[in-house]
Amino acid sequence: MSIAKLTVLAAAATALSATTAMARDQVQIAGSSTVLPYASIVAEAFGENFEFPTPVVESGGSSAGLKRFCEGVGENTIDIANASRQIREKEVKACADAGVTEIIEVQFGYDGIVFASQQDGPAFSAFEPADIYNALAAKVVKDGEVVDNAYNNWNEFNSELPDAEIAAFIPGTKHGTREVFEEKVLLQGCEDTGAMKAFTDGGMDEDAAEDQCMAVRTDGKSVDIDGDYTETLARIQSNPNGIGVFGLSFYENNADKLKVATMGGVEPKTETIASGEYPVSRPLFFYIKKAHIGTIPGLKEYASFFVSDEIAGDGGPLADYGLVPTPDLADVQATVEGETAIEPASN
């Protein structure tokens, strides 16, 4: 769908422009590298079609964006935090402690996490969570014993995988992607390999066992990437054996350079994520500082534009880029229009 002319949507907000003189007249956004391309598409179209400046969109990761969001209220703080995970209770409390007492949560769609490698690299075509766990976990079960992970090649624990050196590039701890990777891949693999049971049988409580399951090896086989997906892609391009963790949309826009593996026998694509069949997917969010609505020109108009049918719905530019639209888009639109804030953090 062309987004060059969205006159009907733009006209609805034109009359509201420039109603308040501000030292800052540009919406400022930061956060998830996964949400970054979607927010950038919307920001560019918004600047072209509305009488507001194009919003400034920065990356940095979900946690970093929410930390900036929770620094306080005022023109020296950002207006929106993008996140590839839901805001945590401790973050809501940190916001409240800094005076950010009303936060509008906008869950605008879904993205899948994929495992991709060089087009001409080893035949990485099918993974199970157990494979990723055995390759990357700090401790594994071998011959019935818990040992430090010393696997060098993928076929050492699964003969159907290539005889290729393990070299994985995974999201760093400040990325929302990391949390989903840990919970939906490492934890599941830990259970599937029997490592979780071995940890608890060895005397660990459940929390300690889960922490151990999510601990990754530190011998260089698994490398945290703190930058965005372009850094992960660069690492893979320089390492023929490299496997990287990406968002579905980034992979789809770089399919000429990468090939993707199934997870649990399911190919990652829009249809399998929308149906819930693909096991490694997550919702995407942005958070609005309600106190800035009516103060920062264009803030609510940008948010409304973002979740409009024409932008975030089926056939819109975000879906074209790889977003799986939420089936509850009408409810999301109502949340934005009603400026409905989430419940405050409990003391």
Side-chain angles (χ1 to χ4, degrees):
M1 183 194 79
S2 172
I3 57 174
K5 296 294 181 183
L6 292 166
T7 54
V8 174
L9 283 170
T14 297
L16 299 176
S17 64
T19 55
T20 307
M22 288 296 300
R24 175 160 69 81
D25 63 355
Q26 201 168 27
V27 175
Q28 295 186 352
I29 305 162
S32 166
S33 60
T34 300
V35 178
L36 175 66
Y38 300 122
S40 297
I41 288 169
V42 178
E44 183 178 351
F46 183 76
E48 291 174 353
N49 290 278
F50 289 75
E51 294 184 1
F52 298 104
T54 300
V56 176
V57 186
E58 301 177 57
S59 186
S62 298
S63 296
L66 286 164
K67 183 177 181 180
R68 289 182 61 186
F69 183 83
C70 291
E71 288 175 350
V73 172
E75 64 185 51
N76 293 324
T77 64
I78 64 172
D79 311 303
I80 290 177
N82 294 328
S84 55
R85 62 165 174 81
Q86 193 166 35
I87 191 170
R88 300 181 179 123
E89 184 175 345
K90 66 180 182 180
E91 290 167 329
V92 175
K93 186 178 186 303
C95 268
D97 290 345
V100 185
T101 56
E102 293 185 291
I103 302 168
I104 302 169
E105 179 181 84
V106 182
Q107 196 264 291
F108 64 91
Y110 297 86
D111 185 47
I113 295 173
V114 307
F115 294 80
S117 57
Q118 274 193 25
Q119 280 278 10
D120 299 326
F124 296 118
S125 58
F127 287 124
E128 298 289 339
D131 297 323
I132 304 301
Y133 182 82
N134 278 328
L136 306 185
K139 292 186 179 295
V140 297
V141 175
K142 193 172 184 180
D143 300 324
E145 300 290 332
V146 175
V147 297
D148 290 337
N149 193 346
Y151 288 127
N152 288 309
N153 287 23
W154 292 90
N155 67 340
E156 291 178 31
F157 50 81
N158 183 345
S159 61
E160 296 184 0
L161 292 175
D163 182 9
E165 185 179 358
I166 297 167
F169 303 98
I170 66 174
T173 54
K174 65 182 179 181
H175 286 278
T177 311
R178 176 59 171 259
E179 183 173 306
V180 180
F181 170 73
E182 290 175 339
E183 293 182 355
K184 295 200 172 186
V185 181
L186 290 181
L187 272 180
Q188 185 63 53
C190 189
E191 293 180 4
D192 294 346
T193 61
M196 173 72 84
K197 185 176 186 302
F199 295 150
T200 55
D201 286 351
M204 291 186 183
D205 62 28
E206 185 176 346
D207 287 343
E210 287 189 357
D211 287 343
Q212 184 61 68
C213 285
M214 294 186 292
V216 297
R217 60 198 300 180
T218 57
D219 58 357
K221 300 292 187 185
S222 178
V223 177
D224 280 11
I225 301 297
D226 290 325
D228 60 23
Y229 293 136
T230 57
E231 182 179 345
T232 307
L233 177 61
R235 295 294 190 99
I236 288 175
Q237 288 177 320
S238 65
N239 188 330
N241 292 328
I243 289 285
V245 177
F246 299 94
L248 174 66
S249 61
F250 186 90
Y251 157 69
E252 289 183 333
N253 284 277
N254 291 275
D256 59 326
K257 305 179 186 73
L258 298 167
K259 62 178 182 289
V260 71
T262 60
M263 179 59 70
V266 181
E267 181 183 354
K269 54 185 179 180
T270 298
E271 293 78 10
T272 58
I273 291 172
S275 68
E277 184 182 4
Y278 184 67
V280 196
S281 61
R282 61 339 188 10
L284 302 178
F285 302 86
F286 63 86
Y287 290 89
I288 309 166
K289 197 171 291 181
K290 185 173 179 178
H292 285 196
I293 292 177
T295 300
I296 302 299
L299 176 56
K300 183 173 181 179
E301 291 78 12
Y302 165 83
S304 298
F305 182 63
F306 196 127
V307 300
S308 66
D309 292 339
E310 292 84 351
I311 297 296
D314 292 325
L318 301 190
D320 289 344
Y321 191 85
L323 179 74
V324 178
T326 175
D328 302 319
L329 191 56
D331 293 339
V332 175
Q333 292 165 352
T335 294
V336 173
E337 292 309 310
E339 302 177 14
T340 305
I342 61 178
E343 292 295 321
S346 56
N347 294 325

